[in-house]
Amino acid sequence: MATTRDRTSVSSCSSSASYYSEFGPPFADLPMEILVKIFTYLSASDRCVVGQTCQRWLEATQHTGLRDHLWLMLRRIPFDANSAPVSDLLRSCRSFPNIGLSEVDVERVGDFFQHFGPTIRRLELRSCEIQERDLYAILRSLPALRSLSIRSCRDLFMCVRLFEDPAERVELSKTLAGVTELRLTHNQYLSDAILHRMCEIMPALAVLDLSGCHISFHKGLYRKFYPGSGSDGSEPSESVLTFHYISRLIDERKRTLRALNFSETLIDDAALEVLAAMEPELQLDRLELNRCEQLSYRGLQTLLRVQTATLTELDLTKAYRMTDSCLWQICNELTGLRVLRLRGCRAISNQGARELAHLQALEVLDVSYCEEITGEGLLIGLACRPRPSLRELHIRALNLCERTIIALTENLPQLNVLDVGFCLDSVSDLCLQHIFRNLVRLTRLDLENCRKVTDDAMTGLGLGPLLRQQDPKSKPSPPDVADGDVETPEADENHEPPALVVPTAPPMRISIRSRAEQQIVEEAERKQRLMAVINRRSQTAIDELRARADDDEANGYSIGRLQQLRVLNLACCNQLTDVSLLCNFRLVELQQLSLAQCQQISVDGIRALVRNCPSLEQLDLSECHSLNDRAVEQITVHLKRLRTLSLRRCYQLTDFTLDHIALHARQLRMLDVRGCKHMCDDPGMRLVNLPLLATILPGRQDDYCSVTNFGGSVSGALSLGIGRQTARPAPPPPRMPVFI
């Protein structure tokens, strides 16, 4: 019996030893259902990286519910089924529900779409060179297609015979019976006839997007292009795109259409009155009228009055004739509105902003660049009571005050996106402390050009007493300590605090420095004091301080509280130094970061940044003049997921920077080195070993222009696949993470 028990114990020990191997527990062997559930908590970009771990995790990331957020983007390549990368994709066992082709020359479609067509649900063609027969061959192979987007495909719509064969249209109408979204944006040569034939092959259309197209709203053209039957022509024109015929198509499908987009067109009040006359059959859920400068209160009032029951999303960006009266109607009649965009509506004032209090279901609000709106209007419209439904708030470039921003952070606890860029005198250190304390769910924070933000706010060092003064419910603050004398965690609590020594006033001195020189000296002294605090503490003390940062009486809240943050814009916050990156800047979810024009950031801060933020994919360090080649080496070695890097006008960088990029930046897609005067004229020659690097912006001389956010258009791109400079602008990044 003893021998049997010994054998049993030995076998159990051996089984447990095999379970915990030298590499740790075998998490790859978890049930597939548990893996899929765990991966739902990750972003789409993180799931792409997780799928590279092992074959089983790759299978989990290919689950149907997870693949809907992934896009296969092919950009600036010849689409040839007989050559890479299309031929490589044909040999893979994966499926791609969303495919985007940008600036692609479609040469030989082959059987690519026949192979992947049954699983493709969304297809986007952007600035592609594609012919009529190729588009027909593609569409006939997509029985599961739900959304089709064709943007700026000039050559395709120059062909007036597109889908002219009735038999082909009948065949396509059966294949594309499930398509609900059609987006034909920024197509100059789109005509009534082509639009008619494309709508005919999509009988279940619910979303029609014609933004940026050349639509004629003047009735004088009807008699010219419909001479046979006057203004009531039944046959569509092959020459022009008119609202006269578009309204007929909408009227025919008014029972199924739920969203219309006429952004960046010349739509006027008469056109909106035509749409309003189609009620009650026409019930819209979404209406987008971005940059429609011809609209006024008369047309909007007529249309909105008949769409009060169903309209939930309304985009009136840069509708300059939008007034407080129209906003009053929106807030009091469209009570179910969830998305409202009024960016750049200069005629709206505080009188209209107060009415926002009636939109209790509002989730997204954009009132950026509304110059007449101040903090008084937002306090009554948004901060009068808690608004748990609001998820996104864009109040960029408004004339606000500290009290307004603090009140917003206290009453909007569920915010995921906050844009307070260019609020020059509003966002102070105290405001930022309230953001860190109250808005812990933020995934995107934009502080561009908030020049009053300092290292004190980013780290929270020494701001505890200031917060307690603003919060009457907090406990009394302990005696203040001098700058640079913050207590360490190892301090003995039993000892009596030392008596405060009141310093004597220094003798009066007359400074001959200018105001700018004095500001530089003060910032340098402040940085030295904060660095002294950090250097006096051991690494253990710093870790303990991070762990109990919220309970420390001497310190406030650091940016490290925003653990869900993925996009952070600190461009032009030129008071920030390395201290902000050295202390509690640990954001493991951060994917996009802009430190453009933060000229006091050096290699010490970059070294801490790349270790604490390993998920960075887009990094903008434009005009950070203190950076050198060693900083770029740290970036390329540690940021394995980096795709976009901007080093514009970093004057200290040399060709060694290009060598570091060539050695380590294997995932880099876009590089901006304009204005780096110590680099060679042709940086692409040093980066030929990076096959994924599609865009390089070179040039020693760079004309000054303001720094733009991620996704801004750029020119002078150098495509390594072509080997020469091109003048085409780089398209904005896809709305979903790239999957390759």
Side-chain angles (χ1 to χ4, degrees):
M1 294 293 296
T3 306
T4 304
R5 286 196 299 268
D6 293 341
R7 290 177 180 176
T8 304
S9 61
V10 170
S11 61
S12 61
C13 293
S14 61
S15 62
S16 61
S18 62
Y19 183 79
Y20 292 96
S21 63
E22 58 179 335
F23 299 105
F27 294 113
D29 297 333
L30 289 174
M32 186 62 66
E33 294 80 6
I34 296 180
L35 287 177
V36 172
K37 181 62 176 180
I38 293 175
F39 291 166
T40 57
Y41 295 98
L42 302 179
S43 64
S45 179
D46 292 334
R47 287 197 294 268
C48 291
V49 179
V50 165
Q52 302 175 11
T53 304
C54 63
Q55 183 66 31
R56 186 170 177 80
W57 284 18
L58 177 61
E59 294 176 2
T61 59
Q62 295 300 302
H63 188 268
T64 305
L66 302 180
R67 288 188 295 110
D68 292 340
H69 301 282
L70 299 178
W71 280 77
L72 170 65
M73 300 298 300
L74 301 178
R75 180 184 174 204
R76 293 187 182 180
I77 64 168
F79 193 93
D80 190 347
N82 300 325
S83 60
V86 179
S87 60
D88 298 334
L89 293 172
L90 284 171
R91 291 192 295 268
S92 67
C93 59
R94 301 170 116 177
S95 59
F96 306 104
N98 309 308
I99 294 183
L101 306 180
S102 178
E103 302 180 50
V104 170
D105 184 6
V106 180
E107 297 177 355
R108 297 181 182 86
V109 178
D111 58 349
F112 179 85
F113 287 95
Q114 294 179 1
H115 183 76
F116 296 108
T119 61
I120 297 177
R121 300 176 60 87
R122 281 177 284 189
L123 176 63
E124 180 177 353
L125 305 176
R126 183 189 295 266
S127 303
C128 294
E129 297 182 8
I130 183 173
Q131 301 301 321
E132 172 196 3
R133 303 311 303 173
D134 293 328
L135 181 61
Y136 171 73
I138 292 173
L139 294 181
R140 66 181 297 186
S141 305
L142 307 179
L145 192 66
R146 296 295 179 266
S147 174
L148 175 62
S149 176
I150 304 177
R151 177 186 175 96
S152 303
C153 293
R154 178 175 176 268
D155 296 338
L156 178 63
F157 293 101
M158 287 181 67
C159 177
V160 297
R161 303 176 61 87
L162 183 64
F163 302 133
E164 190 178 31
D165 189 355
E168 293 181 352
R169 295 202 300 270
V170 172
E171 179 187 0
L172 288 176
S173 63
K174 298 177 181 179
T175 305
L176 305 179
V179 175
T180 58
E181 295 185 10
L182 176 60
R183 305 181 186 276
L184 304 174
T185 60
H186 296 87
N187 292 298
Q188 179 180 359
Y189 294 100
L190 182 64
S191 64
D192 290 340
I194 296 177
L195 178 61
H196 169 77
R197 294 193 288 263
M198 295 200 69
C199 292
E200 184 180 350
I201 63 178
M202 302 175 186
L205 208 59
V207 178
L208 180 60
D209 186 352
L210 299 174
S211 59
C213 294
H214 290 189
I215 304 176
S216 174
F217 295 89
H218 198 279
K219 294 183 178 180
L221 288 177
Y222 303 160
R223 293 188 295 270
K224 178 178 180 181
F225 291 97
Y226 296 93
S229 53
S231 60
D232 297 328
S234 57
E235 294 297 327
S237 172
E238 299 280 0
S239 304
V240 294
L241 180 64
T242 63
F243 184 76
H244 167 70
Y245 203 84
I246 294 174
S247 62
R248 290 186 55 187
L249 292 175
I250 296 175
D251 188 59
E252 294 173 359
R253 300 168 178 265
K254 57 186 177 183
R255 290 180 176 83
T256 58
L257 278 176
R258 291 295 177 262
L260 293 175
N261 189 348
F262 287 101
S263 300
E264 301 181 51
T265 64
L266 298 178
I267 190 171
D268 53 8
D269 296 334
L272 294 187
E273 292 173 354
V274 172
L275 296 177
M278 298 180 187
E279 60 91 20
E281 289 83 0
L282 182 63
Q283 297 292 329
L284 297 177
D285 297 333
R286 182 169 74 251
L287 178 62
E288 299 183 38
L289 301 172
N290 184 359
R291 298 184 182 180
C292 297
E293 301 179 2
Q294 303 298 322
L295 295 179
S296 66
Y297 173 61
R298 177 174 63 88
L300 290 171
Q301 180 188 31
T302 305
L303 179 61
L304 296 179
R305 184 179 294 116
V306 300
Q307 299 292 333
T308 57
T310 59
L311 198 63
T312 58
E313 298 183 23
L314 182 60
D315 187 354
L316 296 174
T317 299
K318 294 189 177 180
Y320 297 128
R321 301 182 184 181
M322 174 82 174
T323 60
D324 291 332
S325 300
C326 188
L327 184 56
W328 182 92
Q329 179 187 2
I330 292 173
C331 297
N332 288 272
E333 296 183 3
L334 305 179
T335 54
L337 204 63
R338 294 187 293 105
V339 178
L340 179 59
R341 302 187 186 276
L342 304 173
R343 190 183 188 94
C345 296
R346 298 173 296 190
I348 297 179
S349 64
N350 288 332
Q351 182 178 357
R354 297 188 189 101
E355 302 299 326
L356 295 172
H358 297 282
L359 299 177
Q360 293 299 319
L362 198 62
E363 298 178 4
V364 179
L365 176 63
D366 188 352
V367 291
S368 301
Y369 298 102
C370 295
E371 302 172 355
E372 299 299 324
I373 296 181
T374 63
E376 178 186 356
L378 293 182
L379 281 173
I380 300 176
L382 294 179
C384 58
R385 63 177 65 92
R387 301 285 294 268
S389 63
L390 200 62
R391 296 294 188 270
E392 293 187 22
L393 179 60
H394 303 265
I395 50 176
R396 191 180 187 88
L398 296 187
N399 185 16
L400 306 178
C401 60
E402 284 187 354
R403 184 168 63 94
T404 302
I405 297 180
I406 294 174
L408 289 175
T409 61
E410 294 174 348
N411 290 278
L412 306 176
Q414 302 297 324
L415 271 186
N416 300 129
V417 178
L418 178 61
D419 183 0
V420 290
F422 284 90
C423 294
L424 303 179
D425 299 325
S426 308
V427 182
S428 62
D429 289 349
L430 180 61
C431 295
L432 207 58
Q433 285 291 293
H434 281 83
I435 291 175
F436 295 160
R437 182 176 69 175
N438 301 323
L439 304 181
V440 294
R441 299 178 183 270
L442 281 181
T443 60
R444 177 166 187 162
L445 178 60
D446 196 327
L447 300 172
E448 182 177 2
N449 229 306
C450 295
R451 301 185 177 180
K452 296 180 67 175
V453 174
T454 65
D455 294 326
D456 298 334
M458 297 294 291
T459 61
L461 294 177
L463 292 184
L466 180 61
L467 282 174
R468 284 188 292 274
Q469 291 177 3
Q470 299 294 326
D471 189 0
K473 298 181 181 180
S474 62
K475 58 185 178 181
S477 60
D480 295 337
V481 293
D483 291 339
D485 293 334
V486 179
E487 292 181 350
T488 60
E490 293 82 7
D492 191 355
E493 298 180 356
N494 298 326
H495 291 174
E496 293 294 330
L500 295 178
V501 179
V502 180
T504 58
M508 181 178 297
R509 297 179 181 178
I510 299 177
S511 176
I512 60 175
R513 300 190 184 104
S514 64
R515 181 178 300 178
E517 293 174 343
Q518 184 65 27
Q519 182 179 3
I520 293 174
V521 172
E522 292 176 356
E523 291 178 356
E525 293 176 351
R526 177 176 53 82
K527 179 180 178 180
Q528 290 177 358
R529 289 196 300 268
L530 291 175
M531 288 296 295
V533 174
I534 296 177
N535 292 334
R536 279 201 302 268
R537 297 170 176 166
S538 63
Q539 187 61 37
T540 304
I542 295 177
D543 294 338
E544 293 179 0
L545 180 64
R546 289 170 179 166
R548 64 184 189 91
D550 297 346
D551 300 328
D552 197 335
E553 297 181 355
N555 299 325
Y557 301 89
S558 70
I559 195 174
R561 278 177 58 86
L562 307 182
Q563 285 299 302
Q564 300 182 30
L565 201 63
R566 294 178 181 173
V567 180
L568 177 61
N569 189 355
L570 298 173
C572 302
C573 297
N574 49 23
Q575 293 195 51
L576 298 182
T577 66
D578 293 334
V579 176
S580 297
L581 304 180
L582 288 170
C583 186
N584 291 340
F585 199 92
R586 186 181 297 275
L587 304 171
V588 294
E589 297 287 337
L590 192 64
Q591 297 177 358
Q592 300 181 22
L593 174 64
S594 177
L595 294 172
Q597 296 188 15
C598 295
Q599 300 178 2
Q600 300 187 60
I601 301 295
S602 66
V603 64
D604 296 330
I606 295 297
R607 185 181 294 110
L609 171 68
V610 298
R611 286 174 168 81
N612 296 330
C613 304
S615 301
L616 277 175
E617 296 181 0
Q618 299 184 28
L619 182 60
D620 188 355
L621 298 173
S622 301
E623 301 188 42
C624 292
H625 303 314
S626 300
L627 298 183
N628 52 24
D629 296 328
R630 290 186 300 158
V632 179
E633 180 184 9
Q634 294 291 322
I635 293 172
T636 57
V637 169
H638 293 91
L639 298 182
K640 301 299 184 181
R641 298 168 58 176
L642 191 64
R643 293 173 178 261
T644 301
L645 178 61
S646 179
L647 301 172
R648 183 180 181 185
R649 300 172 69 91
C650 294
Y651 296 131
Q652 295 190 39
L653 302 184
T654 65
D655 289 339
F656 288 107
T657 288
L658 301 177
D659 296 336
H660 295 316
I661 294 175
L663 287 174
H664 306 290
R666 298 295 181 181
Q667 300 296 324
L668 197 64
R669 265 70 165 175
M670 198 279 285
L671 175 65
D672 186 356
V673 290
R674 289 175 293 176
C676 297
K677 54 188 178 181
H678 295 298
M679 287 187 182
C680 60
D681 294 330
D682 189 4
M685 297 300 296
R686 288 178 173 263
L687 304 173
V688 292
N689 65 320
L690 299 179
L692 299 180
L693 184 57
T695 304
I696 301 177
L697 303 180
R700 295 185 179 182
Q701 301 298 328
D702 177 37
D703 296 333
Y704 178 81
C705 66
S706 59
V707 177
T708 57
N709 293 333
F710 295 110
S713 61
V714 290
S715 61
L718 179 65
S719 175
L720 294 182
I722 301 176
R724 56 184 176 85
Q725 290 188 358
T726 59
R728 68 182 69 175
R735 294 182 296 274
M736 296 184 183
V738 178
F739 176 51
I740 295 181

